[in-house]
Amino acid sequence: METYATALLYAIPFFVILLTIEITYGYFVKKQMHKVMDTVSSISSGLTNIIKDTLGLAVIVVSYPFLLEHLAITEIKATWLVWTIAFVVLDFAGYWNHRLSHKINIFWNQHVIHHSSEEFNLACALRQPISNLVGYFSLFLIPAAVLGVPQMVIAILAPIHLFAQFWYHTRHIGKMGWLEYVLVTPSQHRVHHAINPEYIDKNLGQILCVWDRMFGTFQEEMDEVPPQFGVLKPAGTWNPIIINFQHLWRILQDAWRTKSLRDKLRIWFMPTGWRPNDVKEKYPIAVIGDVYNFKRYATNATNRLKLYAIFQMLTSLGLMMFMFYNYTEIGFEGLLIFSAFIFIGIYGYTTLMDRKKYAVGIEVIRGVAGILWLVYFGDWFGLNAYLPMANIWIGGYFLITIFAGIYFSYFENKETQLGMAA
């Protein structure tokens, strides 16, 4: 996990640069594909996923080294062949894992966060899950284990394969000629993220588009069918932690409410979105019917709140980068506490973005907890060794959090409501 954290120290600045280029380009060509609150929500989702994965907070059904030890019938010696086979197997496994996430109710829960943005841009690529608490991906790598692909090769290629899926989440790049027959391109992935009936559950490939063409899930982007983005059951929140578990909560409710024992059991493994008839009739859930004319989620956000949301997001990013940089020195218990502060912070400021009344409680409590930590320990997880006056900076941040939580909950929100009424 420390190796993954080190890799992210280099990958995250690269993501930030590409995001900045996309936002800047959109501004100058007057075709902006980013909305502040949505982008903050997307990046915040990425932060939670990165921290969760870095800490290894998942139960692994079976590990790749175990499969390698018990299933390998040969060992590939040629270096170039090892890497080529490993890449192809990883991409093939990624396709089927992705397809499973779109087709089965319980597995959709860990993927819905990625589709939850009603925009399509590089930021939405960062909407990755924290709800994938059971690790089973190694089961898709059985072919690699049988061929004896070394664990080190998989460990190096896996994050590269994941990071390589970032660039095609954009609307600024059109079709790419002959590459459309080889790689997953922005055009193909726009289709994948669309909720148009013509596009649903299509283009499930990750790097190579050959799997979609082979297994009947390929769909070209059509000029007469402009993609509309999001999910058919809209998230209705900027809070990525809530989005991660919305679908699971709905399944749990339906499993509890249905009178059929058979439905209580099979609902988990039925096609995505399936619900028992008795529950569906008694507890209807709004689903988008007209994909071209639905009300996209928005909250009453002033420029001050938008700037504050950006400030909180960037601060969370900075704290996370320090956590990765000081990974070993902080220690696992310290990492858990540190990451809890970031998680609660993201929950707090995105709830504030949603204009929820209870946001002020979260912000005040975490601000006070942060200050008490500084007073008791005299340092913020070793930051004093790297940043002069670190305690003052961190203490100031938590004071801002407390006062901003109160201000945006009681003063600005009230002023805005009175202005709208007038």
Side-chain angles (χ1 to χ4, degrees):
M1 293 305 167
E2 184 180 353
T3 304
Y4 184 51
T6 304
L8 286 166
L9 279 173
Y10 296 97
I12 289 172
F14 178 70
F15 293 158
V16 171
I17 290 170
L18 287 182
L19 260 170
T20 304
I21 291 172
E22 184 183 48
I23 293 169
T24 305
Y25 177 79
Y27 174 79
F28 281 109
V29 301
K30 301 192 182 331
K31 195 177 179 181
Q32 187 58 266
M33 300 302 178
H34 287 263
K35 294 180 179 177
V36 172
M37 303 303 251
D38 180 81
T39 296
V40 169
S41 178
S42 294
I43 296 173
S44 300
S45 175
L47 300 183
T48 62
N49 166 262
I50 288 168
I51 292 171
K52 178 256 177 187
D53 283 354
T54 304
L55 295 177
L57 301 179
V59 177
I60 306 299
V61 174
V62 60
S63 69
Y64 181 74
F66 177 86
L67 294 175
L68 187 65
E69 181 183 350
H70 292 87
L71 298 180
I73 59 174
T74 184
E75 183 180 353
I76 306 171
K77 298 291 185 182
T79 303
W80 66 269
L81 190 58
V82 168
W83 292 93
T84 303
I85 289 176
F87 177 81
V88 172
V89 170
L90 262 176
D91 203 58
F92 184 69
Y95 169 82
W96 286 105
N97 182 52
H98 196 181
R99 188 165 177 170
L100 187 70
S101 295
H102 275 259
K103 294 297 183 181
I104 306 298
N105 239 349
I106 183 59
F107 296 117
W108 174 242
N109 185 73
Q110 66 184 14
H111 190 55
V112 65
I113 179 70
H114 185 63
H115 285 262
S116 59
S117 174
E118 292 169 349
E119 306 298 324
F120 186 77
N121 48 47
L122 290 177
C124 88
L126 301 175
R127 290 194 177 222
Q128 298 294 330
I130 58 172
S131 55
N132 53 340
L133 300 175
V134 178
Y136 56 85
F137 184 73
S138 293
L139 293 173
F140 292 99
L141 297 177
I142 288 175
V146 171
L147 293 171
V149 175
Q151 156 67 12
M152 180 196 69
V153 174
I154 297 294
I156 293 173
L157 272 183
I160 295 173
H161 186 268
L162 176 63
F163 298 157
Q165 298 170 46
F166 178 76
W167 74 278
Y168 51 60
H169 290 81
T170 183
R171 282 184 272 177
H172 289 304
I173 299 175
K175 292 186 178 180
M176 302 182 70
W178 62 270
L179 285 175
E180 298 286 337
Y181 295 92
V182 182
L183 300 176
V184 174
T185 63
S187 174
Q188 293 176 26
H189 208 62
R190 287 192 289 272
V191 166
H192 175 68
H193 273 255
I195 55 175
N196 311 59
E198 298 89 341
Y199 294 155
I200 287 284
D201 295 338
K202 299 296 184 181
N203 298 354
L204 298 158
Q206 298 187 315
I207 303 297
L208 303 174
C209 67
V210 294
W211 314 122
D212 286 299
R213 295 179 184 274
M214 286 174 62
F215 299 111
T217 51
F218 182 79
Q219 173 60 56
E220 186 178 4
E221 184 179 22
M222 299 178 285
D223 292 337
E224 66 273 19
V225 186
Q228 305 300 306
F229 305 106
V231 286
L232 291 174
K233 297 174 184 173
T237 177
W238 300 127
N239 190 322
I241 298 171
I242 290 176
I243 298 171
N244 264 280
F245 298 98
Q246 277 182 332
H247 185 66
L248 177 62
W249 177 240
R250 291 190 189 115
I251 296 176
L252 283 167
Q253 285 181 309
D254 285 353
W256 175 261
R257 288 166 172 169
T258 184
K259 296 178 180 179
S260 167
L261 179 60
R262 180 169 177 260
D263 286 346
K264 288 178 185 293
L265 298 174
R266 69 174 179 149
I267 186 174
W268 304 93
F269 306 101
M270 291 296 285
T272 306
W274 181 90
R275 304 180 70 204
N277 287 329
D278 58 340
V279 173
K280 189 163 52 175
E281 292 173 6
K282 191 173 182 180
Y283 303 97
I285 295 175
V287 177
I288 293 173
D290 183 354
V291 300
Y292 296 104
N293 297 288
F294 68 95
K295 188 175 181 181
R296 286 169 168 78
Y297 182 68
T299 51
N300 181 26
T302 62
N303 288 333
R304 283 172 290 188
L305 181 58
K306 290 177 182 177
L307 286 171
Y308 179 69
I310 294 170
F311 162 74
Q312 281 288 357
M313 177 198 71
L314 291 176
T315 304
S316 297
L317 174 61
L319 289 171
M320 186 191 73
M321 293 294 281
F322 168 69
M323 187 177 82
F324 290 164
Y325 184 78
N326 210 33
Y327 193 94
T328 304
E329 287 74 12
I330 292 175
F332 187 70
E333 289 185 3
L335 289 169
L336 289 176
I337 297 170
F338 199 137
S339 60
F341 268 106
I342 298 177
F343 263 75
I344 295 169
I346 290 171
Y347 195 99
Y349 72 75
T350 54
T351 302
L352 199 63
M353 289 160 56
D354 280 334
R355 293 297 200 179
K356 299 294 185 183
K357 291 181 180 179
Y358 63 87
V360 63
I362 300 171
E363 294 294 79
V364 169
I365 290 171
R366 80 176 176 100
V368 171
I371 292 171
L372 290 175
W373 180 277
L374 282 173
V375 171
Y376 186 80
F377 291 101
D379 191 10
W380 185 259
F381 299 91
L383 186 58
N384 284 341
Y386 301 94
L387 179 68
M389 299 187 297
N391 284 359
I392 294 175
W393 287 105
I394 297 296
Y397 163 70
F398 282 120
L399 282 173
I400 291 172
T401 295
I402 293 170
F403 289 120
I406 295 170
Y407 171 75
F408 286 113
S409 296
Y410 292 115
F411 295 97
E412 186 192 78
N413 202 17
K414 194 171 184 179
E415 287 174 12
T416 308
Q417 288 173 353
L418 288 172
M420 288 176 68

